[in-house]
Amino acid sequence: MADSILFSYHDSTLFASDPLTLHDGKWLNDAILSFYFEYLANEVLRGDSTILFLKPALVQCLRLQQDLPSLRSALPPDMHTKHIIFIPINDGDDVFVQGGSGSHWSLLVCSRTTRGAGKTAAVTFHYFDSAANSNYHVALATKVKLEMLLAENNTQIITHSCPQQENGYDCGVFVILFADILARRYADLRLPSRQPSPENVTRSAAVQYNTAPMPVAAGYTMLAAPSNDVIRRVMSPFAVPATDAPMAKYREFRPAMLQTAVIKRTFWWIDYGDLCNPNKARRTLRQLIDELCAKKRSPLI
């Protein structure tokens, strides 16, 4: 029986069999990863042109194929200008197997930071692996290929300590959780550079905020913004508290920006306290897919 299309979401397509990989004890496939990367790009980063999520199939091609001109033409032409690039790593050795032929997912993130006017950007690769860095050799090979394609040199790769999975099948869930945390941190840092829009500002929250002002955390610098501007951002679906209160899905804060030194120390740090239970994450992803699928099927959409 042919696998039917469940729905399409921007540049990703889910088939009926794909959500089955979200059941406990199953390995997530590349379609689920591609879907959630699209969700982050469009719902959290809202089309921010400084960030890029590479599809798992493209990353496999990039690592395993040797035809550099063809690979270069397959990459986004402005890839060298991106500040952050999310790169899902799979240890499979076959480009043409749908869903991936490997047994482990991990996450590589390319970060480009400016050094000042007239100076070249510093490129650093950050690596997150929930299984004791078992995919490090694959990530390193991917980094080397990207250097060749982007004509970059003198880059470095930093292996970060991060939460570890307790079984042999939750690696894809951890990649999604890691990417979710980092993408939302980046979104928070980008917010102050934009004027707060009317839909982002809530006056009632501002009154409550000003009544009992929260202390500015060490390392934060408050920007010159109206004192009654409070930015409201949708929380990660993995962090939403178990309550039906309308505001439970939002968190609110004044425009603030981390100092550069603090960003270097804390931005890439992911602790167990940042993550939800992998089984809860699977249920949350299934619920998100169900909600989007219902919207796609609605005659009002």
Side-chain angles (χ1 to χ4, degrees):
M1 183 177 178
D3 198 0
S4 59
I5 293 178
L6 190 61
F7 71 97
S8 294
Y9 179 79
H10 295 277
D11 288 336
S12 70
T13 299
L14 288 180
F15 287 81
S17 63
D18 292 326
L20 299 179
T21 68
L22 288 170
H23 289 292
D24 296 349
K26 299 289 186 180
W27 281 271
L28 265 64
N29 65 4
D30 59 334
I32 297 296
L33 286 171
S34 293
F35 158 73
Y36 199 72
F37 280 9
E38 284 290 320
Y39 179 82
L40 289 175
N42 290 281
E43 303 298 332
V44 178
L45 280 305
R46 298 189 178 277
D48 191 328
S49 61
T50 66
I51 197 166
L52 176 66
F53 295 86
L54 291 183
K55 294 182 180 299
L58 179 58
V59 176
Q60 282 293 90
C61 243
L62 184 153
R63 178 172 64 88
L64 297 173
Q65 295 285 15
Q66 301 304 317
D67 186 355
L68 290 183
S70 296
L71 287 174
R72 193 171 285 113
S73 66
L75 295 174
D78 60 347
M79 186 171 169
H80 64 284
T81 67
K82 304 300 182 182
H83 294 183
I84 300 282
I85 304 174
F86 286 84
I87 309 161
I89 300 296
N90 185 275
D91 61 353
D93 56 5
D94 194 331
V95 178
F96 304 104
V97 175
Q98 185 177 4
S101 60
S103 60
H104 184 52
W105 292 103
S106 56
L107 181 65
L108 186 66
V109 184
C110 178
S111 170
R112 182 188 303 271
T113 55
T114 57
R115 292 172 171 169
K119 297 183 179 180
T120 58
V123 177
T124 304
F125 290 84
H126 300 268
Y127 182 59
F128 301 86
D129 194 325
S130 61
N133 295 326
S134 61
N135 258 5
Y136 179 78
H137 65 291
V138 185
L140 189 59
T142 306
K143 166 189 172 289
V144 171
K145 185 65 73 67
L146 276 171
E147 286 175 333
M148 296 169 60
L149 291 168
L150 299 176
E152 295 285 358
N153 50 39
N154 297 324
T155 68
Q156 63 173 327
I157 183 169
I158 299 175
T159 301
H160 291 273
S161 174
C162 60
Q164 300 291 288
Q165 62 193 80
E166 298 179 351
N167 50 52
Y169 49 79
D170 271 338
C171 50
V173 178
F174 276 81
V175 167
I176 284 178
L177 291 173
F178 293 159
D180 183 83
I181 290 167
L182 295 174
R184 291 175 189 278
R185 286 178 183 173
Y186 186 72
D188 285 351
L189 293 177
R190 296 282 294 170
L191 274 173
S193 65
R194 307 167 181 166
Q195 291 296 323
S197 58
E199 60 268 22
N200 279 343
V201 177
T202 164
R203 300 301 178 187
S204 60
V207 173
Q208 182 180 3
Y209 189 101
N210 293 332
T211 301
M214 297 174 63
V216 177
Y220 277 81
T221 300
M222 299 306 296
L223 300 185
S227 61
N228 58 350
D229 277 349
V230 173
I231 291 178
R232 175 188 299 170
R233 183 168 69 72
V234 177
M235 291 176 62
S236 166
F238 308 115
V240 174
T243 174
D244 294 329
M247 292 304 300
K249 294 185 178 181
Y250 298 89
R251 74 181 187 86
E252 297 168 338
F253 54 94
R254 280 185 178 175
M257 181 174 286
L258 282 168
Q259 296 175 354
T260 302
V262 179
I263 293 174
K264 289 181 178 179
R265 291 198 304 269
T266 64
F267 183 87
W268 302 103
W269 177 258
I270 299 178
D271 203 352
Y272 284 91
D274 298 316
L275 269 65
C276 72
N277 180 277
N279 289 333
K280 176 188 175 184
R282 289 174 180 270
R283 293 191 297 272
T284 300
L285 285 167
R286 291 201 301 270
Q287 181 180 359
L288 178 62
I289 290 172
D290 287 344
E291 291 174 354
L292 291 174
C293 187
K295 289 181 180 180
K296 290 290 183 179
R297 291 174 176 173
S298 170
L300 299 178
I301 301 300

